[in-house]
């Protein structure tokens, strides 16, 4: 049985509801800069940690205990489900994911298998159950990579700066491209449903690198499969967040998808996104580099973002990308406290002003 969530502010904000204070969590809050995690990494690899549910649950819940954030995000990698499809992936220190059998043809796509979560990634589901049945009183965010981002690794063979192989494959092998999109969509739907069934309360889809596409190409090559994924998932009782880096030009495309929250990086101000016509809840979007600045700078920039985000209900504070390893944990703790206190004061003042106005 799922443990009762005592703090559901993130779920309310994701659905566009008013909250007493702005909920906050940080991408890559689990691990990275935490000393406890660094100590674990001296002994265990990411693979080792994610395959041990007790250990993975510990890493996942640490930020909630240390920073008082309003949600936990499952500690794992977007590559986690790909081996089940026959993708030979290795996470190399300092290099990231490396694919030893990259996709280069329709034949390669047709060889890909299917994901059966209970058989292929039981450790992920057991970690979720541990967290949501025994350990957390805040929502657990599950996640998956999106088709373009996963495909970029599978085609490039690893990280890329320009995604030229991926886009060349997309343009020159459209049949293979769309077949790959369907394979990945099938996997994502099954994977996400299994996470929700195990206890995840919200889902973030990371389309980290889709900003490499212009809006016209996104509409033709990506949007149909994204609509298919989210339409299939709408029957699940969980809000969905979509996030990418350098994808501000796609904000309106995302707004028209059947999702709940548009995640922004630091390049597109919240106020501008609203002015463009983004009507869904918004998550974001402090530049992670700001966290290395003096506290006065962090506070000033966070307050400005909060003011923009709180202009209407449906706002979740986050960074515009992930926490970097050189961020001090005490900075995140102090920032979380500031976000809660500042937004609570603002909400109270809005309430007073509204009551006066209505008299």
């Amino acid at each position: 049985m799922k443990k009762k969530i005592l703090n559901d502010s993130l779920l309310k904000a994701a659905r566009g509801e008013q909250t007493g204070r702005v909920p906050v969590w940080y991408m890559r809050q689990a691990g990275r800069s935490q000393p406890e995690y660094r100590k674990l990494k001296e002994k265990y690899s990411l693979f080792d940690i994610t395959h041990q549910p007790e250990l993975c649950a510990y890493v996942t819940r640490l930020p909630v205990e240390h920073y008082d954030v309003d949600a936990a995000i499952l500690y794992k990698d977007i590559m986690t489900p790909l081996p089940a499809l026959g993708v030979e992936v290795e996470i190399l220190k300092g290099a990231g994911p490396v694919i030893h059998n990259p996709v280069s043809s329709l034949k390669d796509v047709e060889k890909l298998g299917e994901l059966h979560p209970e058989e292929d990634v039981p450790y992920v589901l057991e970690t979720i159950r541990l967290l949501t049945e025994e350990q957390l009183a805040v929502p657990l965010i599950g996640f998956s990579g999106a088709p373009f981002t996963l495909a970029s690794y599978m085609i490039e063979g690893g990280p890329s700066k320009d995604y030229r192989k991926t886009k060349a494959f997309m343009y020159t092998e459209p049949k293979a491209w769309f077949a790959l999109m369907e394979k990945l969509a099938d996997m994502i739907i099954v994977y996400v449903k299994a996470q929700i069934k195990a206890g995840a309360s919200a889902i973030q889809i990371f389309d980290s690198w889709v900003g490499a596409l212009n809006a016209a190409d996104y509409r033709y090559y990506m949007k149909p499969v994204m609509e298919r994924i989210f339409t299939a998932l709408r029957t699940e009782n969980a809000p969905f967040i979509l996030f990418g880096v350098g994808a501000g030009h796609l904000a309106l495309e995302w707004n028209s998808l059947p999702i709940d929250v548009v995640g922004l990086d630091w390049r597109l101000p919240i106020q501008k996104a609203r002015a463009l016509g983004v009507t869904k809840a918004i998550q974001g979007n402090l530049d992670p580099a700001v966290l290395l600045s003096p506290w006065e700078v962090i506070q000033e920039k966070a307050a400005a973002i909060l003011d923009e985000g709180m202009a209407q209900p449906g706002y979740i504070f986050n960074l515009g990308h992930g926490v970097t390893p050189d961020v001090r944990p005490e900075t995140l703790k102090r920032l979380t406290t500031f976000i809660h206190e500042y937004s609570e004061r603002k909400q109270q003042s809005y309430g007073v002003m509204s009551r006066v106005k209505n008299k």
Side-chain angles (χ1 to χ4, degrees):
M1 181 180 289
K2 194 172 178 181
K3 184 178 178 180
K4 185 176 180 181
I5 295 173
L6 301 178
N7 174 2
D8 64 350
S9 59
L10 178 130
L11 301 179
K12 288 180 176 178
R15 294 186 172 110
E17 299 174 20
Q18 189 71 56
T19 55
R21 64 185 190 184
V22 168
V24 52
W25 69 280
Y26 306 109
M27 285 181 279
R28 290 183 178 162
Q29 65 185 16
R32 304 295 291 221
S33 65
Q34 294 181 298
E36 296 87 352
Y37 173 76
R38 289 184 174 183
K39 192 171 182 180
L40 280 176
K41 286 286 282 181
E42 292 173 6
K43 185 177 179 182
Y44 302 104
S45 67
L46 183 149
F47 181 90
D48 294 331
I49 295 171
T50 56
H51 280 67
Q52 298 182 58
E54 290 279 2
L55 195 56
C56 192
Y58 168 72
V59 172
T60 300
R61 74 172 189 267
L62 266 180
V64 180
E65 296 171 355
H66 290 183
Y67 306 147
D68 194 30
V69 286
D70 299 289
I73 184 163
L74 188 62
Y75 176 80
K76 61 184 178 73
D77 192 87
I78 63 169
M79 299 288 110
T80 298
L82 291 187
L85 276 63
V87 179
E88 298 170 17
V89 58
E90 185 179 6
I91 310 293
L92 297 181
K93 188 175 181 179
V98 174
I99 307 293
H100 297 295
N101 58 337
V103 168
S104 60
S105 67
L106 178 60
K107 188 176 179 181
D108 292 334
V109 175
E110 291 171 344
K111 286 181 185 174
L112 294 172
E114 298 178 350
L115 177 72
H116 303 280
E118 291 286 356
E119 299 169 21
D120 297 321
V121 288
Y123 48 90
V124 171
L125 306 182
E126 181 57 27
T127 302
I128 294 173
R129 293 185 192 108
L130 277 173
L131 287 161
T132 59
E133 292 175 8
E134 302 175 16
Q135 301 178 7
L136 291 176
V138 297
L140 174 67
I141 302 170
F143 71 86
S144 172
F148 181 87
T149 293
L150 293 173
S152 74
Y153 286 106
M154 294 167 68
I155 295 166
E156 304 281 344
S160 173
K161 291 182 179 179
D162 53 22
Y163 308 97
R164 64 181 184 277
K165 287 183 183 178
T166 306
K167 290 196 277 187
F169 184 82
M170 183 179 76
Y171 294 136
T172 60
E173 301 282 351
K175 185 177 179 182
W177 174 262
F178 287 116
L180 179 57
M181 293 300 99
E182 293 306 309
K183 286 265 189 181
L184 291 174
D186 290 342
M187 183 206 75
I188 291 163
I189 291 166
V190 169
Y191 188 39
V192 167
K193 284 188 174 183
Q195 291 181 57
I196 295 170
K197 184 180 178 183
S201 298
I203 297 291
Q204 177 152 308
I205 302 297
F206 285 89
D207 212 348
S208 304
W209 314 132
V210 78
L213 296 183
N214 63 40
D217 283 346
Y218 182 84
R219 282 192 291 272
Y220 183 75
Y221 292 102
M222 290 309 312
K223 197 167 185 182
V225 75
M226 299 303 288
E227 287 177 336
R228 183 192 153 208
I229 289 168
F230 289 117
T231 298
L233 294 174
R234 288 317 300 174
T235 56
E236 305 300 314
N237 185 29
F240 292 91
I241 308 165
L242 181 56
F243 171 78
V245 182
H249 60 294
L250 302 177
L252 283 183
E253 302 297 336
W254 290 2
N255 190 68
S256 65
L257 289 171
I259 62 173
D260 300 278
V261 184
V262 175
L264 301 178
D265 79 353
W266 66 93
R267 296 172 180 87
L268 179 63
I270 295 168
Q271 196 172 42
K272 186 172 181 182
R274 291 295 188 203
L276 287 171
V278 174
T279 55
K280 305 251 167 123
I282 284 179
Q283 177 179 279
N285 61 344
L286 183 70
D287 186 338
V290 172
L291 297 177
L292 304 176
S293 306
W295 172 248
E296 293 73 20
V297 175
I298 298 172
Q299 180 176 283
E300 179 185 356
K301 291 188 176 293
I305 288 171
L306 283 163
D307 287 344
E308 289 193 17
M310 293 171 67
Q312 68 183 71
Y315 173 59
I316 300 164
F317 190 99
N318 207 315
L319 305 179
H321 202 192
V323 174
T324 54
D326 47 1
V327 172
R328 296 165 63 199
E330 52 266 35
T331 299
L332 289 175
K333 168 61 177 170
R334 190 175 183 183
L335 177 58
T336 305
T337 301
F338 172 76
I339 292 162
H340 285 157
E341 292 178 350
Y342 182 88
S343 62
E344 198 164 14
R345 286 197 307 270
K346 281 279 186 173
Q347 295 284 28
Q348 289 170 354
S349 67
Y350 290 157
V352 170
M353 289 167 61
S354 177
R355 287 194 295 274
V356 170
K357 187 177 179 181
N358 292 331
K359 280 186 178 180

